[in-house]
Amino acid sequence: MSTLNNINDRVELNNGTRMPWLGLGVFQMSDDEARQACLHALDAGYRSLDTAAVYKNETGVGQALRETSIAREELFVTTKLWNDDQRSRRASSAFQESLDRLGTDYVDLYLVHWPVREHITETWKAMEEIYASGRAKAIGVSNFLPHHLEELLAVAEVVPTVNQVEFHPHLVQPDLLGFCKEHKIVVEAWSPLMQGQVASDKTFAALGEKYGKTPAQIVLRWDLQHGVVTIPKSVRASRIQENAGIFDFELSEADMSVLDALDQNKRLGPDPDTFGF
């Protein structure tokens, strides 16, 4: 991972699609906030935007896609299939609705948002049909633990390209990282900055002083050097710019180990085995 030295660097997914290592997450943003944040990110050199049907801001992301002068094929857009749409067996319809809100005829990555276990098989079959149609350049999952992935892989004809999960120094999940690496599934981090908690942690602050970087930049670089795609969320142009400043330095192996040792297996978000929505 030490060769990652440019915001334009991309990882090749298992189907040949190339995905930027850095993207913007727009969770809990209004349509207008998402539009503005996406435009700030695109101006700062980002080319990957991550939304979801349940965020209710796909329309705002789509407005940014239309307003930017950057060609659509240079951009990487991700959205996600919500749980209720799995339960009501309307994956195909829900996907088209997402495309309509985004105002695009394809997405680069479509994810199953959570593992609704009783529907994993039929949901994935629907995802494979969407992929076969060409309207999603890649398909994957989010919040899947190894046993969820094993269940899916037992029935899948198309191996997921990505597993987007909560990942940060307090929740490293080495078993999950190992499983995904073995099956050539790229791990993507949501909540990489621990909902802002990195700013007040002494370990990150000390490493920030050592490298001349902010605590957030230290953690985001740690993601990359683990081979994990990262999508920090911010609505502020200055923070979006700051979060992109992770391609001009490299953490030593010793400092990577310091951060790895902070693992507490501590979730800030829901547990994929017990979520109730």
Side-chain angles (χ1 to χ4, degrees), residues 179-207:
F179 185 97
C180 288
K181 184 175 181 180
E182 177 186 348
H183 292 277
K184 295 182 173 57
I185 300 169
V186 168
V187 175
E188 181 177 20
W190 64 256
S191 202
L193 301 178
M194 296 161 41
Q195 298 175 7
Q197 294 180 26
V198 297
S200 56
D201 188 290
K202 293 179 180 177
T203 303
F204 305 135
L207 286 174

Side-chain angles (χ1 to χ4, degrees), residues 101-195:
R101 287 188 291 266
L102 287 163
T104 182
D105 56 5
Y106 73 96
V107 293
D108 299 274
L109 179 62
Y110 194 45
L111 301 178
V112 179
H113 208 151
W114 288 86
V116 180
R117 295 199 67 179
E118 65 272 25
H119 292 289
I120 282 178
T121 297
E122 62 183 319
T123 292
W124 194 249
K125 290 303 176 190
M127 295 289 285
E128 290 179 333
E129 290 173 7
I130 290 167
Y131 176 58
S133 77
R135 295 177 298 153
K137 302 301 182 187
I139 53 174
V141 295
S142 184
N143 302 300
F144 275 51
L145 301 175
H147 62 91
H148 298 127
L149 289 168
E150 287 176 341
E151 195 173 326
L152 186 153
L153 290 171
V155 299
E157 293 181 23
V158 178
V159 176
T161 56
V162 169
N163 185 16
Q164 185 185 116
V165 297
E166 182 180 351
F167 177 82
H168 46 69
H170 289 176
L171 185 67
V172 180
Q173 305 182 85
D175 291 348
L176 179 62
L177 291 181
F179 185 97
C180 288
K181 184 175 181 180
E182 177 186 348
H183 292 277
K184 295 182 173 57
I185 300 169
V186 168
V187 175
E188 181 177 20
W190 64 256
S191 202
L193 301 178
M194 296 161 41
Q195 298 175 7

